[in-house]
């Protein structure tokens, strides 16, 4: 019912039969002469009709005939190319005679095969096979390639004959095509070629063999596939062929490749080509004690493979894998230690702090210490881990404290700030200095949790902690510390606090000069309002001079009348006026006249 | 001291782009590989380049930055580009050692080459990759990874067959802004995602032009490669994106970056949508234009769970974006500025780190190098690349047939025979492997 309705609807949409035929004739006649540079309209009209004819067998047949007419000897190459492109999508057996003629010419064999490849009828394959004996050189390879893509069992015999060709391109194409055909006869033919071991054909034969092994796996014949792969795993084969064979084996092994990988890694010496590919599979292996088993194999491997296995175990991330990895942070080889430390940092939490702290204290090179620091900085567990590091820091010898403080500064957060503030009062000057540096790093990170901790500390009871906190806030990245600093600037405990706060505020304001806006001007206004001395004003004016905003002039101009800062105010007015003179010429000129 | 190609290439900017490097168990540091911070020659990965045009020259500095990469050969069908690529590489190393091959098959025959960058025109991407895989080379291939769905599937099979490590050049997977957007979606910050919207730019029209002789120094036959032969027409060759057999249009070329992101965020890397439809397509006027692909249009898909994807091809180059829309908000990455915007805006406060934008592929290359050493799949491995490409490929077929199509992502078949026959184009001999 639906189909009938559709056909009726299509019939209504298409022109009447006679008009349709006439229109088609017109388009075909014009399309037959198509060459680059001319209008492509007839081609597009034909394409439209093809789309619209879907579901209408009669119209489709007429259109196919029309496309076949475009393959006649007197049409242009580009018309033929167009026709073949669309016969590939819409063509049927009806177009085979016209396409057959194109197979005979080197110029057109490509476009003919383009159409024939997708033609569903088996007769298309017959046509290609029939054309093979007379085809030479490139046309022959083209036909062979297309037969390979069609992958019909009937092509095995003619293709097999071509594998003996002296022309290597033809022989390789034939082998490639045989590999694509899922048939016993094709696999047997490739097996025979494997036994002949012609070096010129080796890659093509190996690739076709891998293809055949895949077909066997897909058919459920794992044993036959494995036997074939064993031949391809031999170290006389090329590395990528061996890796391909191993991959197929591992994918088809009932245990996911566990035993095969263990055997490979347990061999002496370890196969350098296959080891990495085998280890790459380790994360996907299922089963109890898998990680433990590979942990036992680990020490037997060369360092480069140990590194890979540690990374693979890290991907498994189960308890056994983590236990194995922990043992390797003290491995003899630096590459192995690096891999283990990286993995520990990514996988572990507070429970690894003591282990890593010990490793940090015993690190023999700066690079190794950095690896441990990165691992500590990366540990999971948030504040719990921070607290554990803080506890170790408190107990550590003075010489071991600076690297631990670097770790805390990388981790940031409330606990880190608290621990570092405590250390900043250490009687050992080196420790105190390292704590200040670590706090400065936190300030540079702009960590909002750490900021909150410092804002609390700066208002706390301990005057030393208040001072260190204030110093840290003066270096805080961005504008987040402004309000706190501004509060201290206006109501300091002493002149030193006022001066420190001003230094921090001026730095923040200066950073904003690149994008001057009303908020920035507001900040400068706040600064000038809180200035206590001409020295304060001088400092502010020096930075205000870089704010290219007309309202910055409004702030600077009144200071021309203050004798103690007149020179700085003049300089500021001049710089600001010059910076804004393009956008605000009147304001700038007026200001400059006051100098 | 950096040589020619890296002049003006900021180390700080580059390292900012490589934020993932320190965290991931990837590359063994130089100091443990060789002396004085260098990489021992035996630990270097030796590269060659196939197709060294504009895109290759843009990304080459990202490759050359890595001390564990040694670039030894280049290949191009154009003599001028080949000569200038050799000059560029030689200037970087301060030698004359880079080998220049007019025929890429000779480059692939070099045993010392471990891996290749493929930055040809789109028509060559899949086939050149398959040639490389057959030759035992690992691959970084620019997007789109293929021009047809069948070609993409064959690429996946070929790489699996030879254990090839392959990285598709959809490097936004390694870009901080896009990673952040994904993380926010996965954390449920915009609620349940129902639509993934993206935009690529509208293309212009290419007027009809007559064929001309092939310019001196061009191997036009190789330039065409697997595409069926056509006369040399400058406008067509220089604007190959606008023709079905060489480019498939902008929704394919750029759209694949966005479908890759969509697949990644939705966790559908081994499957895909089930329905495709196109609307509002504006085609070039065949009477005046030879270009074939859509000028503007809307390309839609739908996943089995109801999530919708849409690519708008409209506006200007600078207007491209991807936006994830959920029932509680949205998050968007603007490609031109690398700016992330969101609703609610509070999402943006959760961003803890920034990195280089997509035009620095350092992290993506780093991931490839790590995979080459470990033989573990790269982040944009062939299956991932193919599935992303399948979406725009299916959209193209829907547009060309002017019909809605249903798609079985497991069998990779449409509900329409014509559409199925458009999934593969027979390559031209001898450019087939």
């Amino acid at each position: 019912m639906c189909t009938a309705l559709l056909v009726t609807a299509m019939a209504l949409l298409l022109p009447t039969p006679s008009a349709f035929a006439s229109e088609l004739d017109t388009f075909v006649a014009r399309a037959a002469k198509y060459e680059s540079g001319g209008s492509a309209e007839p081609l597009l009209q034909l394409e439209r009709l093809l789309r619209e004819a879907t579901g209408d067998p009669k119209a489709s047949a007429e259109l196919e005939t029309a496309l076949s007419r475009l393959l006649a000897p007197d049409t242009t190459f580009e018309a033929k190319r167009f026709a073949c492109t669309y016969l590939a999508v819409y063509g049927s057996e009806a177009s085979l005679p016209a396409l057959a003629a194109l197979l005979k010419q080197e110029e057109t064999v490509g476009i003919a095969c383009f159409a024939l490849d997708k033609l569903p009828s088996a007769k298309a394959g017959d046509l290609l096979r029939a054309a093979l004996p007379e085809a030479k050189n490139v046309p022959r390879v083209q036909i062979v390639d297309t037969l390979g893509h069609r992958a019909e069992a009937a092509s095995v015999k003619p293709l097999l004959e071509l594998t003996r060709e002296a022309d290597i391109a033809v022989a390789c194409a034939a082998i490639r095509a045989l590999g694509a055909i899922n048939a016993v006869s094709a696999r047997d033919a490739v097996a025979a070629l494997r036994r002949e071991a012609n070096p010129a054909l080796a890659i093509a034969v190996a690739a076709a063999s891998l293809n055949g092994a895949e077909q066997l796996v897909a058919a459920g014949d794992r044993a036959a596939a494995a036997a074939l792969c064993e031949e391809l795993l031999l170290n006389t084969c090329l590395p990528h062929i061996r890796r391909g064979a191993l991959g197929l084996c591992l994918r088809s092994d009932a245990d996911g490749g566990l035993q095969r990988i263990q055997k490979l890694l347990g061999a002496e010496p370890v196969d350098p080509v296959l080891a990495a590919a085998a280890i790459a599979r380790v994360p996907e292996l299922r089963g109890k004690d898998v990680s433990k088993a590979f942990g036992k194999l680990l020490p037997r491997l060369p360092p480069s493979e140990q590194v890979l296995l540690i990374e693979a175990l890290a991907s498994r991330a189960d308890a056994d894998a983590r236990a194995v990895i922990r043992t390797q942070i003290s491995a003899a080889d630096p590459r192995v230690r690096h891999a283990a430390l990286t993995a520990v940092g990514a996988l572990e939490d507070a429970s690894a702090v003591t282990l890593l702290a010990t490793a940090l204290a015993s690190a023999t090179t700066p690079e190794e210490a950095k690896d441990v620091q990165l691992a500590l900085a990366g540990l999971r567990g948030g504040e719990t881990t921070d607290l554990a590091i803080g506890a170790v820091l408190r107990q550590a010898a003075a010489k071991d404290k600076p690297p631990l403080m670097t770790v805390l500064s990388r981790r940031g957060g409330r606990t880190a700030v608290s621990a570092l503030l405590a250390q900043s009062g250490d009687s050992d000057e080196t420790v105190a200095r390292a704590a200040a540096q670590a706090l400065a790093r936190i300030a540079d990170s702009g960590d909002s949790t750490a900021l909150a901790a410092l804002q609390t500390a700066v208002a706390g009871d301990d005057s030393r902690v208040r001072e260190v906190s204030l110093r840290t806030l003066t270096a805080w990245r961005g504008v987040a510390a402004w309000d706190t600093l501004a509060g201290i600037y206006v109501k300091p405990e002493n002149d030193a606090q006022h001066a420190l706060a001003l230094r921090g505020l001026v730095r923040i304001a200066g950073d904003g000069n690149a994008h001057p806006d009303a908020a920035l001007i507001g900040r400068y206004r706040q600064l000038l309002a809180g200035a206590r001395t001409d020295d304060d004003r001088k400092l502010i004016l020096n930075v205000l001079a870089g704010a290219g905003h007309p309202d910055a002039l409004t702030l600077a101009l009144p200071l021309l009348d203050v004798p103690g800062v007149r020179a700085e105010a003049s300089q500021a007015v001049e710089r600001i006026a010059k910076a804004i003179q393009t956008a605000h010429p009147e304001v700038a000129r007026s200001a400059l006249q006051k100098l | 001291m950096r040589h020619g190609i890296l002049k003006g290439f900021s180390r700080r900017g580059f390292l900012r782009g490589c934020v993932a490097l320190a965290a991931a168990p990837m590359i063994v540091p130089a100091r443990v590989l060789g002396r004085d911070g260098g990489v021992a020659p035996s630990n270097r990965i030796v590269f060659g380049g196939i197709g060294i045009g504009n895109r290759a020259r843009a990304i080459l500095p990202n490759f050359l930055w890595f001390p564990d990469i040694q670039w030894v050969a280049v290949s191009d069908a154009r003599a001028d580009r080949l000569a200038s690529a050799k000059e560029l590489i030689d200037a970087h190393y301060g030698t004359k050692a880079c080998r220049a091959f007019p025929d890429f098959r000779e480059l692939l025959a070099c045993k010392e080459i471990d891996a290749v960058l493929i930055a040809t025109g789109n028509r060559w991407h899949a086939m050149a990759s398959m040639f490389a895989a057959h030759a035992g080379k690992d691959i970084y291939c620019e997007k789109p990874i293929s021009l047809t769905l069948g070609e993409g599937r064959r690429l996946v099979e070929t790489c699996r067959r030879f254990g090839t490590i392959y990285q598709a050049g959809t490097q936004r997977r390694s870009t901080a802004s896009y990673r952040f957007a994904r993380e926010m979606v996965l954390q449920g910050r915009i609620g349940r995602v129902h639509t993934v919207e993206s935009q690529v730019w509208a293309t212009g029209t290419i007027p009809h032009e007559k064929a001309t002789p092939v310019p001196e120094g061009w191997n036009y036959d190789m330039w065409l490669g697997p595409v069926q032969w056509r006369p040399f027409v400058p406008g067509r060759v220089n604007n190959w994106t606008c023709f079905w057999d060489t480019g498939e249009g902008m929704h394919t070329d750029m759209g694949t970056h966005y479908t890759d992101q969509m697949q990644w965020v939705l966790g559908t890397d081994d499957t895909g949508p089930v329905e495709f439809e196109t609307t509002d397509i504006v085609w070039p006027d065949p009477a005046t234009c030879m270009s074939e692909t859509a000028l503007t249009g809307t390309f839609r898909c739908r996943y089995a769970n109801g999530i919708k994807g849409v690519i708008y091809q409209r506006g200007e180059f600078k207007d491209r974006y991807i936006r994830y829309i959920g029932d509680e908000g949205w998050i968007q990455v603007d490609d031109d500025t690398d700016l992330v915007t969101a609703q609610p805006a509070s999402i943006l406060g959760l961003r803890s780190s920034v990195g280089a934008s997509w035009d620095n592929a350092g992290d993506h290359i780093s991931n490839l190098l790590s995979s080459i050493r470990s033989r573990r799949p790269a982040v944009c491995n062939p299956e991932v690349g193919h599935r992303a490409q399948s979406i725009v490929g299916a959209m193209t077929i829907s547009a060309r047939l002017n019909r809605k199509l249903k798609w079985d992502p497991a069998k990779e078949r449409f509900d329409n025979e014509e559409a199925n026959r458009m999934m593969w184009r027979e390559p031209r001999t001898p450019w087939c492997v």
Side-chain angles (χ1 to χ4, degrees):
Chain A
M1 177 67 177
C2 285
T3 311
L5 277 174
L6 186 65
V7 170
T8 310
M10 293 304 298
L12 288 170
L13 284 171
L14 289 167
T16 58
S18 57
F20 178 70
S22 161
E23 193 180 23
L24 202 52
D25 281 347
T26 308
F27 293 146
V28 167
R30 288 173 59 202
K33 295 172 189 162
Y34 173 74
E35 285 188 321
S36 293
S39 169
E41 203 186 348
L43 311 184
L44 271 288
Q45 292 292 359
L46 284 169
E47 188 186 341
R48 176 183 60 80
L49 291 175
L50 283 161
R51 272 201 310 267
E52 291 173 356
T54 303
D56 179 350
K58 186 166 180 291
S60 295
E62 283 187 55
L63 281 159
E64 187 175 357
T65 305
L67 289 177
S68 297
R69 279 162 55 198
L70 288 177
L71 305 182
D74 59 346
T75 64
T76 63
F77 173 81
E78 291 190 76
K80 291 185 180 75
R81 186 185 192 275
F82 167 82
C84 287
T85 302
Y86 285 89
L87 284 171
V89 180
Y90 298 99
S92 71
E93 284 181 10
S95 47
L96 290 180
L99 288 167
L102 302 191
L103 285 175
K104 293 173 183 163
Q105 295 165 35
E106 185 162 347
E107 188 193 32
T108 53
V109 67
I111 55 174
C113 286
F114 189 98
L116 288 165
D117 173 63
K118 279 291 163 201
L119 233 120
S121 168
K123 288 183 180 170
D126 294 340
L127 186 68
L128 286 162
R129 286 184 287 276
L132 259 187
E134 285 185 33
K136 304 282 178 237
N137 306 322
V138 169
R140 185 149 60 156
V141 177
Q142 177 76 72
I143 292 169
V144 168
D145 279 342
T146 306
L147 285 172
H149 296 146
R150 289 186 64 87
E152 294 156 316
S155 299
V156 171
K157 191 162 176 282
L159 289 172
L160 183 55
E161 287 166 16
L162 293 177
T163 62
R164 316 284 180 215
E165 281 284 321
D167 183 338
I168 294 296
V170 173
C172 286
I175 294 165
R176 203 162 56 225
L178 280 172
I181 298 173
N182 188 0
V184 175
S185 55
R187 285 190 289 274
D188 287 347
V190 174
L193 290 162
R194 219 166 33 245
R195 286 191 291 275
E196 286 173 26
N198 179 348
L201 306 177
I203 295 181
V205 171
S209 301
L210 279 172
N211 217 344
E214 287 169 12
Q215 293 156 4
L216 289 168
V217 170
D221 193 349
R222 287 179 182 172
L228 202 166
C229 283
E230 287 300 332
E231 292 183 52
L232 302 172
L233 281 166
L234 295 174
N235 59 14
T236 48
C237 291
L238 289 165
H240 66 296
I241 301 295
R242 300 180 70 213
R243 278 199 293 262
L246 177 67
L248 184 59
C249 288
L250 298 178
R251 287 195 298 275
S252 57
D253 282 345
D255 64 354
L258 175 61
Q259 288 181 51
R260 194 182 294 273
I261 298 169
Q262 285 178 310
K263 190 177 164 191
L264 255 167
L265 299 185
E268 185 68 45
V270 171
D271 187 320
V273 170
L274 299 184
I279 292 169
R281 185 86 182 172
V282 167
E284 294 160 48
L285 294 173
R286 296 285 166 264
K288 196 168 169 270
D289 296 335
V290 168
S291 296
K292 206 179 275 181
F294 283 105
K296 283 181 186 157
L297 280 170
L298 188 76
R300 298 167 49 97
L301 297 172
S304 53
E305 278 70 25
Q306 286 190 36
V307 167
L308 296 177
L309 188 52
I310 286 169
E311 290 175 5
L313 288 168
S315 292
R316 293 184 66 80
D318 54 34
D320 289 338
R322 287 160 57 188
V324 170
I325 292 167
R326 281 182 178 219
T327 65
Q328 297 304 309
I329 68 167
S330 54
D333 189 282
R335 289 168 293 180
V336 178
R337 286 201 301 275
H338 172 79
L341 285 166
T342 306
V344 166
L347 293 172
E348 299 291 355
D349 54 19
S351 63
V353 167
T354 309
L355 177 76
L356 289 173
T358 309
L360 186 56
S362 58
T364 53
T365 65
E367 289 83 4
E368 196 172 336
K370 194 176 170 191
D371 282 347
V372 186
Q373 284 177 303
L374 281 172
L376 277 162
L379 288 178
R380 297 171 182 191
E383 205 160 10
T384 310
T385 303
D386 297 340
L387 285 167
I389 297 171
V392 170
L393 174 64
R394 281 195 299 277
Q395 303 296 322
K399 72 174 179 56
D400 296 331
K401 284 187 174 183
L404 285 167
M405 288 191 280
T406 302
V407 167
L408 282 172
S409 70
R410 282 179 190 274
R411 293 181 68 85
R414 188 174 54 182
T415 310
V417 167
S418 167
L420 292 170
L421 284 174
Q423 294 298 321
S424 69
D426 198 288
S427 56
D428 186 318
E429 200 177 312
T430 313
V431 172
R433 195 165 50 242
Q437 286 167 347
L439 284 164
R441 272 194 295 275
I442 288 184
D444 193 44
S445 74
D447 174 6
S448 57
T449 327
L451 176 63
L454 283 162
Q455 283 166 332
T456 306
V458 84
D461 298 332
D462 186 329
S463 62
R464 188 196 57 76
V465 169
R466 283 202 301 275
E467 192 204 323
V468 176
S469 301
L470 178 56
R471 285 183 185 279
T472 307
L473 287 170
T474 60
W476 202 261
R477 178 191 282 257
V479 298
W482 179 274
D483 288 345
T484 308
L485 291 171
I488 295 167
Y489 175 59
V490 177
K491 287 185 184 173
E493 289 177 33
N494 49 46
D495 286 349
Q497 274 203 349
H498 174 80
L500 267 177
L502 175 60
R503 199 187 303 162
L505 292 166
V506 160
R507 186 192 53 76
I508 295 172
D511 287 348
N513 281 351
H515 303 285
D517 56 12
L520 179 68
I521 298 303
R523 288 190 193 109
Y524 279 116
R525 188 172 289 120
Q526 211 176 341
L527 283 177
L528 287 168
R532 291 180 169 184
T533 65
D534 282 350
D535 281 344
D536 288 356
R537 290 181 196 93
K538 284 178 188 173
L539 187 62
I540 297 163
L541 279 165
N542 281 340
V543 186
L544 178 67
H549 193 284
D551 290 347
L553 277 179
T554 313
L555 294 177
L557 283 168
L559 294 172
L560 289 172
D561 300 329
V562 180
V565 298
R566 180 168 171 78
E568 286 77 12
S570 296
Q571 198 175 33
V573 167
E574 188 178 351
R575 277 185 63 195
I576 298 166
K578 284 183 178 167
I580 65 167
Q581 64 187 357
T582 307
H584 305 278
E586 283 304 315
V587 179
R589 190 165 49 246
S590 165
L592 289 170
Q593 281 170 355
K594 290 176 182 165
L595 292 179
Chain B
M1 171 77 180
R2 311 304 299 186
H3 298 284
I5 193 169
L6 292 178
K7 275 181 186 164
F9 193 68
S10 144
R11 177 174 176 82
R12 179 176 294 183
F14 186 81
L15 292 178
R16 192 159 49 89
C18 294
V19 284
L21 217 64
M26 294 179 171
I27 293 178
V28 178
R31 62 187 151 76
V32 294
L33 296 177
R35 289 178 182 172
D36 304 326
V39 178
S42 60
N43 284 315
R44 286 184 196 144
I45 295 174
V46 179
F47 264 81
I50 298 176
I52 306 286
N54 297 334
R55 177 55 193 155
R57 294 176 76 94
I59 198 173
L60 207 49
N62 293 176
F63 278 91
L64 293 175
W65 192 267
F66 287 89
D68 41 359
I69 285 179
Q70 177 77 27
W71 210 279
V72 300
V74 286
S75 169
D76 202 286
R78 287 176 56 172
D80 55 343
R81 287 186 166 177
L82 185 59
S84 110
K86 172 179 163 48
E87 201 175 306
L88 196 134
I89 306 268
D90 282 345
H92 172 72
Y93 290 116
T95 68
K96 300 277 182 194
C98 180
R99 300 173 73 187
F101 295 103
D103 186 334
F104 72 94
R105 292 169 297 186
E106 292 176 41
L107 181 149
L108 291 175
C110 293
K111 285 184 181 166
E112 75 271 24
I113 293 178
D114 302 307
V116 288
L117 162 68
I118 295 171
T120 56
N122 297 0
R123 67 202 169 279
W124 256 117
H125 285 170
M127 194 55 82
S129 298
M130 289 190 266
F131 267 98
H134 267 265
K137 311 303 183 196
D138 294 322
I139 300 159
Y140 184 107
C141 182
E142 280 303 325
K143 58 81 204 169
I145 67 152
S146 63
L147 276 187
T148 64
L149 285 83
E151 197 180 44
R153 177 47 62 195
R154 281 176 199 232
L155 172 66
V156 173
E157 290 167 355
T158 303
C159 288
R160 187 184 297 147
R161 186 166 301 142
F162 297 114
T164 309
I165 297 299
Y166 176 99
Q167 180 79 296
T170 38
Q171 75 277 21
R172 283 158 181 79
R173 282 209 185 204
S174 307
T175 301
S177 50
Y178 286 89
R179 281 177 178 273
F180 172 68
R182 175 177 181 259
E183 201 182 317
M184 293 302 99
V185 174
L186 297 186
Q187 286 179 13
R189 305 278 175 185
I190 58 168
R192 195 190 73 85
V193 174
H194 55 76
T195 306
V196 182
E197 180 185 296
S198 57
Q199 181 166 315
V200 301
W201 59 99
T203 40
T205 54
I206 316 298
H208 286 297
E209 251 183 63
K210 289 191 172 178
T212 67
V214 176
E216 198 176 333
W218 278 62
N219 183 342
Y220 179 58
D221 187 69
M222 187 182 290
W223 185 91
L224 275 175
V227 171
Q228 293 305 319
W229 193 85
R230 294 182 100 165
F232 185 94
V233 176
R236 194 154 57 206
V237 168
N238 293 326
N239 299 284
W240 48 260
T241 311
C242 303
F243 297 86
W244 293 125
D245 52 2
T246 48
E248 295 241 316
M250 202 43 65
H251 76 279
T252 299
D253 193 278
M254 183 64 199
T256 192
H257 274 305
Y258 294 138
T259 54
D260 178 62
Q261 287 294 313
M262 176 169 72
Q263 289 275 99
W264 190 38
V265 169
L266 299 182
T268 51
D269 273 341
D270 57 352
T271 178
V274 295
E275 195 173 88
F276 300 92
E277 187 176 22
T278 52
T279 53
D280 319 316
I281 304 277
V282 176
W283 300 105
D285 177 2
T288 57
C289 304
M290 62 177 171
S291 48
E292 296 164 342
T293 58
L295 305 178
T296 57
T298 305
F299 304 80
R300 298 178 191 278
C301 65
R302 186 180 63 77
Y303 287 84
N305 60 5
I307 295 177
K308 292 171 189 153
V310 56
I311 300 174
Y312 295 110
Q313 185 174 320
R314 64 188 182 191
E316 295 178 35
F317 174 74
K318 66 177 177 52
D319 299 332
R320 60 203 192 276
Y321 68 86
I322 185 165
R323 174 184 281 206
Y324 302 96
I325 307 170
D327 50 17
E328 293 172 21
W330 53 262
I331 186 161
Q332 173 169 326
V333 184
D334 287 308
D335 209 57
D336 205 50
T337 58
D338 201 37
L339 191 70
V340 184
T341 48
Q343 190 60 252
S346 57
I347 291 173
L348 302 175
L350 301 169
R351 190 168 179 184
S352 59
S353 65
V354 292
S357 82
W358 57 267
D359 61 356
N360 182 338
D363 274 358
H364 210 51
I365 294 164
S366 168
N367 176 255
L368 170 70
L369 300 182
S370 166
S371 292
I372 288 174
R373 290 203 165 92
S374 69
R375 309 311 298 175
R376 292 173 69 177
V379 64
C380 289
N381 60 66
E383 183 73 31
V384 165
H386 167 61
R387 292 294 185 166
Q389 184 61 25
S390 293
I391 298 172
V392 284
M395 287 168 169
T396 299
I397 294 175
S398 170
R400 294 189 69 181
L401 291 175
N402 191 28
R403 62 184 302 157
K404 186 190 264 191
L405 293 169
K406 291 199 186 303
W407 169 253
D408 180 338
K411 293 178 183 165
E412 298 199 315
R413 300 291 289 174
F414 290 106
D415 64 339
N416 175 278
E417 189 46 31
E418 282 88 21
N420 286 329
R421 287 170 73 169
M422 290 173 81
M423 282 172 54
W424 167 255
R425 297 180 201 147
E426 183 67 359
R428 187 170 62 102
T429 295
W431 310 112
C432 174
V433 71

